[in-house]
Amino acid sequence: MSEITRIHPDVNVQESATLPNNIEAEQQLLGAILTNNDTYDRVSAIVQPEHFYDPVHARIFQIAADRIKLNALASPVTLKAFMEDDEGLRELGGSAYLARLAGAAISSLASRDYAQLVYDLAIRRELIQLGVDVSEKARRVDVSSSPTDQIAEAEQALYSLGEKGRVDSGFQSFLRCVTDAVIVANAALKRDGPLAGIGTEFTDLDRKLGGLHRSDLLIIAGRPSMGKTALATNMAFNIARKFRHGTLPDGSRGAVDGGIVGFFSLEMSAEQLAARILSQASEIPGEQIRRGDLTETELRGFYDAAKTLEACPLYIDDTPALPISQILARARRLKRTHGLDALFVDYLQLVRPTSAKDNRVNEVAEITQGLKAIAKELDIPVVALSQLSRQVEQREDKRPQLADLRESGSIEQDADVVMFVFREEYYLEREKPGDHDFDATAEWSKKMDDVHGIAEIIIGKQRHGPIGSVKLSFEDQFTRFGNLAPTWRQDSTDER
């Protein structure tokens, strides 16, 4: 094997000694690519030009990669024409250096090992630089950058650096995909039910959706006072209440039932949200809890419910106007520290984009794409609430449609499931005729009896299943949704 003499006078000796690098590994990898261009396909998912310590090596790799992508030959002879004016290469011997690289090439079979070594050393250098940056920023006392903000930024940078280690998996064999599908189906069977995802305890809704699926973005939309937050809160509480830790089908440890839930409450405070959950669990109207108008028996029941819920793995963040980048960073932190199986965001229009956009449609597009990215990256279902436009109120039939979503283009496109909460009782109450019109009043009372305490969940989009609607009970005083009696449930399944 030819020996390569390494001469690089412009590299600071002290820096070279302190920053991790392996020039010889870079040389061997480049030589393998220049002698066999197929080697590039083996290593392109691992190493990129910025991972090379020597800037000349980075330029050689970039030019070779560009030619290979064009189905053109990348060899010492072809690269010579593109690098004749490269001052760094000239200092190393010019085209003769390219020839020596090819002459000292390793076997292409070992190329991935060398590529991994080059990549690992590059990550170590980035870690060192990240530490320097964090230290320098912490030394500067800046009014616009609080220590808490700096910690969040450092954590996000560190997590992003960690994510770089997850190279694209590329194509997977159909056998592996089928095996994964069988594991999911087997897990559903072991839960004694037809759910591939996380159950919400709403029987008909779970049957229609198959539970909340990992990596899915689900949108719950509705007009004000329809019960969007109540439905999301009920779902989150039901999932957290059923949490049971154990061994998963793939042998790892995790939630075998229910799950650990994160809830971003951008509209209500954590105390208000907790009060709703306590009202649901203790069956004490929320108004009485807010006024403190409780009998001794009710107070005892309230305390018992609170004690029961102490161990419930439901984590609430009520920081207002969070940017989508912060939601991602905090969700990552929660998953790392406590675990995370489902995430709720109340509500989408209150999330801020990372940077200002030229119009609201682009801002919402960034937010929905960010929420979908969270679902895929953390491998959890993300449930986001959304407001509907006022055009619903202008129609005779107030049932929502996909077109009623505010900035509906990106929401409808990025979501895997879109559900609408509709309570006809709410609108019918406002249409009560005058007392003097007895016939109209009687007809109105009959309609009210039919829809009293009934909520309709309309599934307007489901990427992997049927659309339609299901009916749930709704107890306004407890802000609680529930399952209907079997006869109602059968009617709900047959309709629409």
Side-chain angles (χ1 to χ4, degrees), residues 134-193:
V134 171
S135 177
E136 290 182 353
K137 192 164 187 178
R139 292 175 187 276
R140 294 195 300 269
V141 180
D142 189 349
V143 176
S144 62
S145 180
S146 68
T148 304
D149 293 335
Q150 292 182 16
I151 290 172
E153 291 172 10
E155 185 179 51
Q156 185 172 354
L158 188 61
Y159 192 94
S160 299
L161 188 59
E163 287 298 294
K164 289 184 179 181
R166 299 184 181 181
V167 297
D168 294 335
S169 59
F171 289 107
Q172 299 181 32
S173 70
F174 187 63
L175 174 61
R176 178 176 176 181
C177 299
V178 168
T179 302
D180 292 341
V182 170
I183 289 174
V184 171
N186 187 51
L189 289 173
K190 287 186 175 181
R191 285 195 296 266
D192 297 324

Side-chain angles (χ1 to χ4, degrees), residues 258-415:
I260 299 171
V261 180
F263 201 111
F264 285 100
S265 181
L266 307 183
E267 184 178 33
M268 298 171 58
S269 70
E271 291 78 11
Q272 290 172 327
L273 204 62
R276 280 198 172 195
I277 294 173
L278 280 170
S279 173
Q280 172 190 350
S282 63
E283 296 191 346
I284 300 173
E287 290 183 3
Q288 288 184 229
I289 295 175
R290 285 192 296 272
R291 294 196 310 263
D293 183 17
L294 302 176
T295 65
E296 186 175 342
T297 303
E298 288 173 334
L299 186 61
R300 190 180 301 111
F302 183 77
Y303 286 150
D304 289 342
K307 188 174 182 179
T308 303
L309 299 179
E310 281 181 358
C312 192
L314 174 58
Y315 298 90
I316 301 172
D317 187 329
D318 61 357
T319 308
L322 276 174
I324 185 64
S325 58
Q326 276 290 311
I327 289 179
L328 175 55
R330 296 184 184 200
R332 285 168 175 162
R333 187 187 311 163
L334 179 60
K335 180 157 189 175
R336 187 173 64 252
T337 55
H338 298 285
L340 182 60
D341 297 297
L343 185 69
F344 290 77
V345 179
D346 181 17
Y347 58 92
L348 189 150
Q349 280 79 13
L350 292 180
V351 179
R352 290 196 295 113
T354 303
S355 57
K357 299 292 186 294
D358 52 354
N359 59 63
R360 180 58 180 165
V361 173
N362 290 338
E363 290 182 349
V364 173
E366 180 189 337
I367 293 166
T368 56
Q369 289 166 11
L371 292 173
K372 177 61 179 176
I374 292 173
K376 293 190 69 176
E377 179 182 316
L378 301 184
D379 194 29
I380 58 173
V382 173
V383 181
L385 278 59
S386 176
Q387 293 280 18
L388 292 179
S389 64
R390 293 177 181 271
Q391 63 188 22
V392 176
E393 314 292 342
Q394 300 169 3
R395 295 196 304 264
E396 183 176 349
D397 185 357
K398 302 295 193 296
R399 283 180 173 81
Q401 305 168 3
L402 288 174
D404 297 326
L405 285 165
R406 286 186 182 175
E407 302 93 16
S408 63
S410 62
I411 299 175
E412 181 181 345
Q413 176 181 322
D414 296 326

